[in-house]
Amino acid sequence: MDTNKPTATILQTKQHFEILDGLRGIAALAVVIFHFMEWVYLDPSQNFIGHGFLAVDFFFCLSGFVIGYAYDDRLAKMGLLEFFKSRVIRLHPLIIAGSVLGLLAFLFDPFGGHPELYNTGMVILLFLSSALLIPFPVMEDRGFNLFGLNAPSWSLFWEYIANIVYALVLCRLKRSYLIVLTILSAVAICLVSFRAGNLLGGWSGPTYWDGGARISYSFLAGLLIYRSNWIIKNNLGFIGLSVLLSLAFIMPFSTWNWITEPLVVLLYFPLLIALGAGAVLKPGLKKFCVFSGKISYPLYMTHYAALWMFGNYYNSHKPGTMELTFVIISGVVLLVGFAYLVMVVYDIPVRKYLSDRRNKRIAEK
């Protein structure tokens, strides 16, 4: 056998940092609640979770840490092609699922929407762009989202870019150069925040490059934490770290966002990653953390189709406080349940099928 060829053993998933998995789920839930509440409170300063969007920066930082942990010591053995296959198998089934759900919600929204503004050819183009993760910010009635059918896909676009740069450059980069790149990216984050007044951009055509700045720093910081072994042993546990993470999302929205948001992204989130990697998990919370980690990505990628329908319902029906509270709480619970269904019925089987086929081809070589 050619020892330079990847084997099924090399491609196996490594043991997870379970508390970090659990925190990923908390962040995904914060995103869902934030998206509900931003329809209700057009003024972000009135939104109790007005900084829920910063969960994406936490995802990016966590991704840099996890990618470094998972692939730094085996990318050379598995090769670029197998690395990219691994990432596509992990990420793309839910990108397609989110696109399908977004299309269905767009066409059959019972509370409104404007599908009549788009001819069949344009709808097909929108769907293909979404499924293939090609930015196509043409939907004016959806704020010129990079991906009008499934808005959260913007962060997956940048995640793919980060993975490509990691495989081609960062995996071989010396730590000293990684530090320099991280510092330069930190400067870029500060410039974006100063110019825009916050770090909310990246999801739309006009703010496209803001997304590049956001992932550049956070991904590099996460990778640097892993490479430097900045793991802080502590007894905060999952509950304590969940509270600390949540504080970032409920931080008051103010005129000082251009300072407070970069501080959270530059310092606070990397600290939480280092603490999460070194925290001790109580046995009774292990199952919850595992579930939280597994459900996080399906929840993140499938929830927004319902959010467009909720927005049209809110604007057309103007529900009272009690009705609105019931709808939002029920909506969050149902979306978590639906994400679990998608995960069990679609995502896990599809990924298993694709992984098994790949492993079989490798074994036959």
Side-chain angles (χ1 to χ4, degrees):
M1 180 186 292
D2 185 349
T3 56
N4 291 323
K5 290 181 180 179
T7 66
T9 302
I10 292 174
L11 299 176
Q12 286 178 355
T13 302
K14 289 188 176 182
Q15 182 178 352
H16 286 212
F17 289 89
E18 288 158 347
I19 286 184
L20 292 179
D21 285 343
L23 294 179
R24 184 190 290 113
I26 298 298
L29 190 61
V31 170
V32 175
I33 297 172
F34 166 75
H35 283 152
F36 270 110
M37 300 311 296
E38 71 173 346
W39 279 105
V40 179
Y41 296 109
L42 296 180
D43 180 357
S45 64
Q46 299 177 357
N47 187 347
F48 79 92
I49 194 168
H51 279 103
F53 65 88
L54 290 177
V56 176
D57 300 271
F58 180 76
F59 291 147
F60 287 156
C61 192
L62 183 55
S63 176
F65 180 88
V66 170
I67 290 293
Y69 167 69
Y71 294 105
D72 264 8
D73 62 350
R74 57 176 178 165
L75 181 59
K77 295 178 181 177
M78 68 190 302
L80 288 177
L81 182 59
E82 293 303 327
F83 170 77
F84 291 132
K85 285 181 181 179
S86 294
R87 301 312 294 154
V88 169
I89 290 172
R90 178 66 185 96
L91 299 176
H92 222 83
L94 283 171
I95 290 171
I96 294 173
S99 301
V100 171
L101 291 171
L103 177 64
L104 294 174
F106 174 65
L107 295 176
F108 305 110
D109 186 344
F111 303 109
H114 302 284
E116 71 279 357
L117 297 178
Y118 304 88
N119 59 42
T120 302
M122 178 58 76
V123 172
I124 292 173
L125 190 57
L126 284 166
F127 174 75
L128 290 177
S129 298
S130 182
L132 297 175
L133 217 59
I134 301 170
F136 192 42
V138 298
M139 301 182 76
E140 183 176 0
D141 54 318
R142 293 195 169 185
F144 293 106
N145 269 270
L146 293 183
F147 301 94
L149 295 182
N150 194 33
S153 289
W154 76 268
S155 62
L156 272 299
F157 167 79
W158 285 112
E159 178 70 22
Y160 264 131
I161 296 297
N163 283 202
I164 292 170
V165 174
Y166 168 80
L168 296 179
V169 179
L170 299 178
C171 68
R172 296 187 297 272
L173 203 65
K174 292 182 179 179
R175 182 172 170 272
S176 56
Y177 292 119
L178 185 62
I179 291 173
V180 172
L181 283 181
T182 306
I183 293 172
L184 292 175
S185 299
V187 172
I189 278 279
C190 293
L191 291 175
V192 166
S193 186
F194 178 76
R195 173 183 54 79
N198 56 56
L199 292 177
L200 186 55
W203 52 270
S204 67
T207 65
Y208 172 83
W209 289 109
D210 293 3
R214 290 175 69 180
I215 195 169
S216 293
Y217 172 78
S218 291
F219 188 91
L220 289 169
L223 185 58
L224 184 60
I225 291 169
Y226 171 73
R227 295 257 178 96
S228 304
N229 197 31
W230 289 338
I231 295 176
I232 304 173
K233 299 294 183 181
N234 64 89
N235 294 313
L236 287 168
F238 173 67
I239 300 297
L241 286 167
S242 294
V243 171
L244 292 177
L245 178 60
S246 299
L247 289 176
F249 306 143
I250 62 174
M251 176 178 65
F253 208 90
S254 70
T255 55
W256 294 98
N257 288 331
W258 66 280
I259 293 177
T260 57
E261 290 175 11
L263 286 176
V264 168
V265 171
L266 296 179
L267 302 175
Y268 192 60
F269 285 161
L271 174 62
L272 291 183
I273 299 295
L275 289 169
V280 177
L281 178 64
K282 293 181 179 179
L285 291 172
K286 181 176 180 178
K287 287 184 178 180
F288 180 83
C289 284
V290 171
F291 173 80
S292 182
K294 286 182 176 179
I295 201 72
S296 60
Y297 184 43
L299 178 60
Y300 182 72
M301 287 305 292
T302 62
H303 78 279
Y304 213 85
L307 263 297
W308 284 118
M309 292 190 287
F310 169 77
N312 290 327
Y313 154 78
Y314 178 76
N315 289 329
S316 61
H317 287 65
K318 302 297 181 185
T321 302
M322 289 297 294
E323 180 183 352
L324 191 60
T325 302
F326 174 77
V327 168
I328 291 176
I329 293 176
S330 300
V332 171
V333 172
L334 289 172
L335 285 171
V336 172
F338 181 73
Y340 177 76
L341 184 66
V342 170
M343 178 181 74
V344 172
V345 174
Y346 168 74
D347 185 43
I348 291 177
V350 168
R351 287 192 287 116
K352 184 179 185 304
Y353 170 75
L354 294 174
S355 296
D356 288 347
R357 282 195 61 184
R358 180 181 62 166
N359 291 338
K360 184 179 179 181
R361 284 199 302 270
I362 291 173
E364 291 173 348
K365 289 182 179 179

